[in-house]
Amino acid sequence: MKLLNDIQHLTFITADMDRLIAFYERVFEARVTVDLEEDGLRHTFIEVGPHTVLHPFQVTGVEPPDPQPMFQRGRLDHFALNAASEEAFRELRRRVVTEGAGNGVVTDMGSLLSFGFADPDGGCHEVVWVKPGVPAGALLKRADWAMVEID
């Protein structure tokens, strides 16, 4: 029996909710499904996929941490968004680069391709495309990852 489908939401802090929403709308065609202000905070649901919601909070007096290197970012290091297709992966890469939110470097990890992006608060995340027909076990060790050129 399968017990879970996906992650329902990811929660994090933002310094500017409107700026964050605009970024995810522009780059990922996300949509806000909930936007609430209560008890000195604002929080939203930003739907980035059919089963994936970002749930940022803007809290008076609380700022997001300064950007840190990978594995030094705290309890949640980063999240990866799953591109719907190879074509979508390429389009999202183009949008991230146009937005100035990433350099567009693509890493081939064996069973998937990945590129990074930074949100307006400096949160560093990824977009991945899982190669069809390639088993997850084909994920290469980090030492075998390769930077690849794509159009």
Side-chain angles (χ1 to χ4, degrees), residues 32-141:
V32 174
T33 59
V34 173
D35 191 340
L36 297 171
E37 292 191 42
E38 55 189 335
D39 302 323
L41 58 84
R42 178 179 177 199
H43 61 114
T44 64
F45 278 3
I46 304 171
E47 186 179 80
V48 294
H51 305 285
T52 306
V53 173
L54 304 179
H55 187 196
F57 280 75
Q58 182 177 338
V59 182
T60 304
V62 176
E63 293 294 320
D66 291 331
Q68 299 293 322
M70 191 173 201
F71 306 131
Q72 296 178 27
R73 298 178 186 149
R75 188 177 300 261
L76 176 65
D77 187 80
H78 70 279
F79 56 79
L81 301 174
N82 196 28
S85 65
E86 183 178 10
E87 180 182 22
F89 178 84
R90 292 172 184 272
E91 175 60 17
L92 288 168
R93 179 184 168 272
R94 185 193 66 74
R95 290 179 185 193
V96 162
V97 170
T98 299
E99 185 78 17
N103 62 14
V105 172
V106 174
T107 303
D108 186 338
M109 298 177 182
S111 62
L112 56 88
L113 298 179
S114 170
F115 68 84
F117 70 94
D119 71 23
D121 292 302
C124 298
H125 308 295
E126 290 179 84
V127 174
V128 300
W129 172 62
V130 178
K131 298 174 184 176
V134 180
L139 189 65
L140 302 173
K141 292 181 180 182

